[in-house]
Amino acid sequence: MRTVVRVLAVVLAALVPGLTAPAVAEPAALPWTGAWETAPSGTTAPLPGAAVRNVVHLGIGGTAVRVRLSNRLGTEPLRLGAVTVALRRAPGPAAVPGTLRTATFHGAPRTTVPPGADTVSDPVPLPVRAGADLLVTVYTPDDSGPATYHRTALQTSYLARTGAGRAADEDGAAYTATTSHWYYVTGVDVRGTALGSVVAFGDSLTDGTGSTPGTNRRWPDRLARRLGGHRFGVLNAGVAGNRLLRDGTGPSALARLDADALDLPRVRVLVVLEGVNDINGAPEAGDPAAYAAAYRTLVARAHARGIRVVGVTLTPYRGHPAWSAAREAVRRRVNAFIRGGGVFDAVADADAAVRDPAVPARLLPAYDPGDHLHFNDAGMSVVADTVHRALTH
């Protein structure tokens, strides 16, 4: 199936004219590319007067950064009293001395984000490398209403309950509380020589549930390391509990596609692994034709932006409380469409890669963290390898 392979090779071919400009041309400024992402999953109580030191892991490097922050799901204006970035002196909340920078917004160190909106900082000159941890500290001086956040960070971040003036602290001593969520920050872009990014779009399987917290072993993290030599970043737009067809945890895949994937800078490929929560949800969606229509819509919208799409088959989960023979039949019919429907530019058959050959309706025990649905670290690695092959072979 030649149409199911070498997606990045096709992307690279399309980029050739931009990479072979005449030697006499004026050098263009290096472009912005996404280096890290998390998708808003809902809202939580605000932290008035606190500074949140979010720890994020960059997939690619560059000479400068800019930060994307969100009040997309909020209901009141979000007042940002200070935002800083710094390289982390791991482990903990301390910054590498000399790396802390203040992020500005149209030249000002403070800004207000309307409800339902996002904002992007001005460029911050700070060289960063692939695999670095960045501290993005956000100080909110007062109660701005429900806080847009990402619930399942699988990463410890830090809080200074009395945050006035603390966003600029290098030593981190004031950050005495911890959180397992990311507050307000939804992305970091870098200015550099990367060729573009791949967005991993899905639910908890992509968000990383089942992997070891604090180790960046989600399958998109693993894929980012594999694609490093190709100069592509990988952005994680997974939301635990998310659905393809209707709102669940966060807006549905169709509703959030633009904001969480297509609108990001220099996206070249969209990888879609989503649908199991629709099969298991209430009300459950048992008509495979609805999934086919949704996948066609996702692909058409991506193609309209020049973005290629990889479909990932839905993985087995027999043994999980939500499993039933009827739902298994739906999963198999949806997978038959993903494999043979001719909609996707490539297919990554994660189902075949992680299922137990003796009982194909369940995960291979070596990849099961114990809930029979998600992937442990070994399973995450196998899924990353499967997607990598669909992209590069």
Side-chain angles (χ1 to χ4, degrees):
M1 295 191 298
R2 290 186 179 275
T3 59
V4 178
V5 295
R6 296 185 358 192
V7 171
L8 288 186
V10 174
V11 170
L12 287 171
L15 294 176
V16 166
L19 299 176
T20 57
V24 295
E26 288 292 325
L30 292 173
W32 292 101
T33 305
W36 174 85
E37 180 195 6
T38 194
S41 64
T43 60
T44 190
L47 298 168
V52 184
R53 183 152 280 183
N54 299 281
V55 178
V56 306
H57 189 71
L58 303 182
I60 53 175
T63 60
V65 302
R66 65 184 184 187
V67 180
R68 289 184 275 117
L69 299 144
S70 184
N71 191 26
R72 195 183 309 163
L73 305 179
T75 58
E76 303 291 336
L78 169 62
R79 288 170 286 278
L80 300 176
V83 177
T84 63
V85 297
L87 293 173
R88 180 164 81 140
R89 189 174 65 192
V96 173
T99 68
L100 193 139
R101 307 280 190 274
T102 296
T104 59
F105 303 85
H106 302 289
R110 293 174 293 278
T111 193
T112 298
V113 187
D118 299 331
T119 192
V120 182
S121 75
D122 300 330
V124 179
L126 177 65
V128 295
R129 58 175 178 79
D133 282 347
L134 193 72
L135 304 174
V136 181
T137 305
V138 181
Y139 166 56
T140 50
D142 49 25
D143 188 341
S144 294
T148 296
Y149 84 136
H150 186 89
R151 182 186 61 190
T152 311
L154 297 176
Q155 172 66 61
T156 299
S157 292
Y158 302 89
L159 300 174
R161 297 286 183 184
T162 304
R166 296 303 184 184
D169 287 1
E170 284 190 342
D171 63 14
Y175 291 84
T176 56
T178 61
T179 177
S180 60
H181 315 309
W182 285 308
Y183 283 79
Y184 303 114
V185 60
T186 58
V188 177
D189 304 329
V190 299
R191 175 170 275 163
T193 60
L195 297 177
S197 63
V198 174
V199 176
F201 193 76
D203 49 37
S204 58
L205 300 174
T206 298
D207 206 1
T209 301
S211 65
T212 302
T215 61
N216 300 301
R217 292 178 182 171
R218 313 163 191 87
W219 72 257
D221 297 316
R222 304 270 194 168
L223 181 64
R225 290 191 281 274
R226 288 156 174 75
L227 290 180
H230 297 276
R231 292 161 59 198
F232 280 86
V234 177
L235 305 179
N236 190 333
V239 174
N242 198 233
R243 297 188 192 183
L244 178 68
L245 304 175
R246 62 174 64 233
D247 293 347
T249 301
S252 72
L254 292 172
R256 69 186 184 91
L257 179 64
D258 286 354
D260 289 342
L262 305 186
D263 290 344
L264 303 182
R266 305 182 77 230
V267 175
R268 308 301 189 192
V269 182
L270 178 70
V271 181
V272 179
L273 172 52
E274 187 139 28
V276 71
N277 289 326
D278 298 87
I279 296 174
N280 295 335
E284 63 186 81
D287 182 4
Y291 298 82
Y295 291 138
R296 287 192 181 98
T297 299
L298 288 172
V299 171
R301 286 167 60 184
H303 282 178
R305 305 281 196 101
I307 297 169
R308 292 183 170 264
V309 187
V310 175
V312 185
T313 50
L314 305 184
T315 50
Y317 60 99
R318 183 172 178 173
H320 187 273
W323 186 89
S324 71
R327 289 173 172 175
E328 174 66 11
V330 174
R331 185 185 72 87
R332 293 192 182 197
R333 290 177 65 190
V334 171
N335 280 348
F337 174 81
I338 293 171
R339 292 186 184 105
V343 171
F344 295 100
D345 298 293
V347 172
D349 199 346
D351 171 39
V354 301
R355 68 192 179 202
D356 186 343
V359 186
R362 75 180 183 190
L363 286 173
L364 192 71
Y367 304 146
D368 186 348
D371 66 4
H372 312 301
L373 173 64
H374 298 97
F375 316 126
N376 61 17
D377 293 346
M380 291 286 179
S381 184
V382 170
V383 173
D385 286 341
T386 304
V387 175
H388 183 255
R389 283 194 298 272
L391 288 168
T392 60
H393 287 75

